[in-house]
C-alpha cells in the first residue's frame, strides 16, 4: 500500500505558508488577474474619450459615470454581501464587469463611440464594482487569522499592486501601439478569468451568519458599528476629500498633462507603474514592520499623496514624476496594510462587508463630483492652480484627522500567547501520580494543545 501523501511529498505545499489557505490563495490570484487588466483599462478609457474627439471635461464625465453608481449601490452591496454567500456576489459582479468592458471594447474598435454610450458602459462597470468591493473585502478579512493578518494583507496587496505595475505599463504601451480598444478587451477577458477563479472559493468553513431583520435593519446595524467608532468615520471623512482630489488629478489632469507636456500615454503609464512599484516596496516593508500605533503611522503616510498633484502642477519631467509617484505609492501602502489590520482587529466578522461598504461609500462619495467638475475648474482657474489645490486639500484633510484622539492612540493588540506543550512525566517519575492514569490532559481537553 502506498503511504498517504504528506506535505514533504508535495514541494508546493512547503512553499505556501501555513496561513495562506485555499481561499486566500484564490483571492490573491484573482486579484492579480483583474489588476493586470483594470490598471491599463483606466488609462484606456481616458484616451478612448480623447481619441473620439472629447475634451478634458468629457474625460471627467466618463470617470464620474463610473463612480456615481459605485456610490449609489455600495451600501446595498455591503448589506447583501453579509446576507448572501460572498463568493456568489463576487462572481456575479465580475460577470457584469466582463460584459460591460467587452461592449466598451467593441464600441471603440468598430466605430466612433458617442459620449453617452461610453458613460453608460462605464456606469455598468461601476455598478459591478459597488457590489464586488464589500463582498471581496469581507471575504479576504475572513480568510486569515488575526495572528497573521499584517503579513497576509501585506502580501495580498503586494501581489495585487505588482500586477498593477505590469497592467499600467503594458496598458500605456498597448494604447500607444494599437489603441485603447484592445486594452479594454483584455480587461474584459481578465474579469472572466477572475470570476472563474472566485467560483472555486470554499465557503464550507465560513461560519453561518444569523439572518437579520431585513435589508434596512442590516444597514442600520452597520451604521451603528460605523458611527460609534471615531477613528473609523473620521478617516473615512478624510478620504472622501483625499480620494476625490487624487482621483480628479489622476483620471482627468494626469492624461491631459501627459498629452500636452510629457509626450503621450506611454510616459503617464510609466509614472503609474512607478506608483505600483512604490506600493510593492511599501508592502515588503509591512511584511516585517508591525507598528504599534496602527492609525497614527498610517495617517502620517497619507501626506505624500499630495506629491503627484504637485508634480503635475510644476510639471516635473518624467523621471521626477516617476519619483514622486514611487514615494506616494510606498506611503499609501503602509496606510493600506495598517488600515486593513485595524479593520480586521476591531470589526466583528459578521459585519465586515457592511462596515466595509460604509468605508467605501464615504471614501468615494465625492469622487463623481470631483471628476465631473475637474474640467470646469480647469477652465475657470487653470490646470496648474487646480492641481495645487488638489495637493493642498490632501495636506489639510490629513492634518485634521490627527486631532482625533483614537487615531493617535489606537494600538495593535498583541497576539495571544502560544501554549507550550510540556511532556508528561514517565510512569513512576515524580509528578506522575498527580494525574489518574486514564485521565485526559486538561490542556488537550480544553483545546489549548492539539492532541496530534
Amino acid at each position: 500500500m502506498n503511504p498517504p501523501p504528506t506535505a514533504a511529498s508535495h514541494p508546493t505545499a512547503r512553499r505556501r505558508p501555513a496561513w495562506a489557505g485555499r481561499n486566500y490563495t484564490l483571492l490573491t490570484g484573482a486579484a492579480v488577474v483583474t489588476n493586470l487588466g483594470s490598471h491599463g483599462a483606466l488609462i484606456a478609457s481616458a484616451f478612448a474619450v480623447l481619441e473620439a474627439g472629447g475634451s478634458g471635461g468629457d474625460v471627467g464625465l466618463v470617470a464620474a459615470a463610473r463612480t456615481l453608481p459605485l456610490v449609489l449601490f455600495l451600501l446595498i452591496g455591503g448589506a447583501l454581501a453579509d446576507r448572501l454567500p460572498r463568493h456568489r456576489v463576487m462572481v456575479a459582479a465580475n460577470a457584469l464587469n466582463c460584459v460591460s468592458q467587452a461592449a466598451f471594447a467593441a464600441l471603440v474598435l468598430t466605430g466612433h463611440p458617442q459620449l453617452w454610450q461610453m458613460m453608460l458602459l462605464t456606469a455598468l462597470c461601476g455598478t459591478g464594482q459597488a457590489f464586488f468591493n464589500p463582498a471581496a473585502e469581507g471575504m479576504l478579512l475572513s480568510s486569515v487569522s488575526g495572528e497573521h493578518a499584517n503579513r497576509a494583507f501585506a502580501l495580498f496587496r503586494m501581489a495585487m499592486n505588482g500586477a498593477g505595475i505590469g497592467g499600467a505599463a503594458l496598458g500605456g504601451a498597448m494604447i500607444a501601439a494599437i489603441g485603447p480598444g484592445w486594452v479594454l478587451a483584455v480587461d474584459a477577458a481578465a474579469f472572466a478569468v477572475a470570476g472563474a477563479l472566485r467560483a472555486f472559493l470554499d465557503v464550507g468553513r465560513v461560519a453561518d451568519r444569523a439572518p437579520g431583520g431585513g435589508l434596512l435593519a442590516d444597514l442600520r446595524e452597520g451604521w451603528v458599528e460605523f458611527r460609534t467608532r471615531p477613528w473609523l468615520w473620521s478617516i473615512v471623512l478624510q478620504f472622501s476629500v483625499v480620494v476625490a482630489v487624487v482621483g480628479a488629478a489622476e483620471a482627468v489632469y494626469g492624461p491631459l498633462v501627459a498629452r500636452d507636456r510629457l509626450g503621450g500615454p506611454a510616459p503617464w503609464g510609466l509614472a503609474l507603474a512607478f506608483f505600483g512599484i512604490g506600493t510593492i516596496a511599501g508592502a515588503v516593508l509591512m511584511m516585517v514592520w508591525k507598528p504599534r500605533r496602527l492609525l497614527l503611522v498610517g495617517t502620517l503616510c497619507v501626506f505624500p499623496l499630495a506629491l503627484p498633484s504637485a508634480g503635475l502642477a510644476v510639471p516635473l519631467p518624467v523621471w521626477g514624476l516617476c519619483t514622486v509617484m514611487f514615494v506616494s505609492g510606498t506611503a499609501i501602502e503602509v496606510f493600506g496594510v495598517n488600515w486593513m489590520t485595524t479593520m480586521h482587529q476591531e470589526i466583528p466578522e459578521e459585519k465586515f462587508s457592511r462596515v466595509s461598504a460604509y468605508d467605501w461609500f464615504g471614501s468615494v462619495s465625492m469622487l463623481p463630483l470631483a471628476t465631473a467638475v475637474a474640467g470646469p475648474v480647469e477652465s475657470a482657474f487653470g490646470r496648474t492652480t487646480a492641481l495645487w489645490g488638489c495637493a493642498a486639500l490632501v495636506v489639510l484633510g490629513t492634518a485634521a484627522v490627527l486631532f482625533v484622539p483614537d487615531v493617535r492612540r489606537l494600538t495593535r493588540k498583541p497576539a495571544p500567547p502560544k501554549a507550550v506543550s510540556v511532556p508528561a512525566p514517565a510512569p513512576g517519575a515524580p509528578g506522575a501520580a498527580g494525574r489518574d492514569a486514564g485521565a485526559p490532559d486538561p490542556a488537550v481537553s480544553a483545546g489549548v494543545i492539539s492532541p496530534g
Side-chain angles (χ1 to χ4, degrees), residues 164-324:
I165 297 172
L170 183 61
M174 286 180 64
I175 293 167
I178 57 177
W182 289 109
V183 179
L184 294 168
V186 168
D187 189 37
F191 277 119
V193 173
L197 288 174
R198 288 164 177 141
F200 288 100
L201 288 168
D202 180 14
V203 296
R205 297 182 181 179
V206 177
D208 292 334
R209 295 185 291 275
L215 189 63
L216 291 178
D218 286 350
L219 288 173
R220 285 195 297 269
E221 190 175 358
W223 172 249
V224 170
E225 287 288 334
F226 179 81
R227 69 175 176 81
T228 56
R229 302 174 189 271
W231 61 267
L232 179 56
W233 60 257
S234 62
I235 289 181
V236 170
L237 183 61
Q238 167 207 8
F239 267 78
S240 69
V241 176
V242 171
V243 170
V245 297
V246 171
E250 294 192 358
V252 181
Y253 300 138
L256 294 174
V257 173
R259 182 193 65 182
D260 298 340
R261 304 293 296 273
L262 300 178
W268 181 233
L270 181 64
L272 293 177
F274 266 83
F275 179 88
I277 296 172
T279 62
I280 288 185
V284 170
L285 174 63
M286 294 308 295
M287 290 282 287
V288 295
W289 183 33
K290 295 182 178 181
R292 181 170 175 269
R293 294 181 183 266
L294 290 161
L295 295 181
L296 177 61
V297 171
T299 299
L300 291 174
C301 288
V302 179
F303 283 107
L305 281 187
L307 294 176
S309 296
L312 289 168
V314 173
L316 293 175
V318 174
W319 65 266
L321 187 59
C322 289
T323 300
V324 299

Side-chain angles (χ1 to χ4, degrees), residues 99-417:
V99 172
S100 61
Q101 288 296 78
F104 195 176
L107 194 66
V108 174
L109 290 170
T110 58
H112 300 284
Q114 301 296 311
L115 179 62
W116 70 267
Q117 295 171 323
M118 293 185 284
M119 291 178 65
L120 174 62
L121 291 171
T122 54
L124 289 176
C125 195
T127 302
Q129 190 178 356
F131 286 89
F132 174 83
N133 286 345
E137 192 156 316
M139 197 76 191
L140 178 64
L141 290 174
S142 65
S143 70
V144 298
S145 65
E147 180 182 358
H148 302 292
N150 197 88
R151 181 175 298 177
F153 296 147
L155 182 59
F156 174 84
R157 293 174 66 91
M158 179 169 62
M160 181 180 65
N161 292 319
I165 297 172
L170 183 61
M174 286 180 64
I175 293 167
I178 57 177
W182 289 109
V183 179
L184 294 168
V186 168
D187 189 37
F191 277 119
V193 173
L197 288 174
R198 288 164 177 141
F200 288 100
L201 288 168
D202 180 14
V203 296
R205 297 182 181 179
V206 177
D208 292 334
R209 295 185 291 275
L215 189 63
L216 291 178
D218 286 350
L219 288 173
R220 285 195 297 269
E221 190 175 358
W223 172 249
V224 170
E225 287 288 334
F226 179 81
R227 69 175 176 81
T228 56
R229 302 174 189 271
W231 61 267
L232 179 56
W233 60 257
S234 62
I235 289 181
V236 170
L237 183 61
Q238 167 207 8
F239 267 78
S240 69
V241 176
V242 171
V243 170
V245 297
V246 171
E250 294 192 358
V252 181
Y253 300 138
L256 294 174
V257 173
R259 182 193 65 182
D260 298 340
R261 304 293 296 273
L262 300 178
W268 181 233
L270 181 64
L272 293 177
F274 266 83
F275 179 88
I277 296 172
T279 62
I280 288 185
V284 170
L285 174 63
M286 294 308 295
M287 290 282 287
V288 295
W289 183 33
K290 295 182 178 181
R292 181 170 175 269
R293 294 181 183 266
L294 290 161
L295 295 181
L296 177 61
V297 171
T299 299
L300 291 174
C301 288
V302 179
F303 283 107
L305 281 187
L307 294 176
S309 296
L312 289 168
V314 173
L316 293 175
V318 174
W319 65 266
L321 187 59
C322 289
T323 300
V324 299
M325 292 290 275
F326 174 85
V327 172
S328 61
T330 303
I332 197 58
E333 193 64 17
V334 174
F335 169 83
V337 174
N338 282 318
W339 180 250
M340 293 187 74
T341 304
T342 303
M343 294 278 283
H344 186 273
Q345 173 180 292
E346 301 292 328
I347 306 299
E349 189 277 335
E350 68 275 9
K351 300 174 183 176
F352 277 161
S353 291
R354 276 170 288 174
V355 174
S356 174
Y358 279 104
D359 174 16
W360 276 95
F361 176 80
S363 298
V364 304
S365 59
M366 294 178 62
L367 185 57
L369 176 62
T371 51
V373 305
V377 168
E378 178 190 15
S379 299
F381 301 102
R383 190 184 302 164
T384 299
T385 301
L387 284 164
W388 281 118
C390 291
L393 286 172
V394 171
V395 172
L396 293 174
T398 304
V401 170
L402 293 175
F403 287 96
V404 179
D406 284 356
V407 172
R408 302 193 307 270
R409 297 171 186 169
L410 191 146
T411 58
R412 182 188 303 272
K413 293 179 181 177

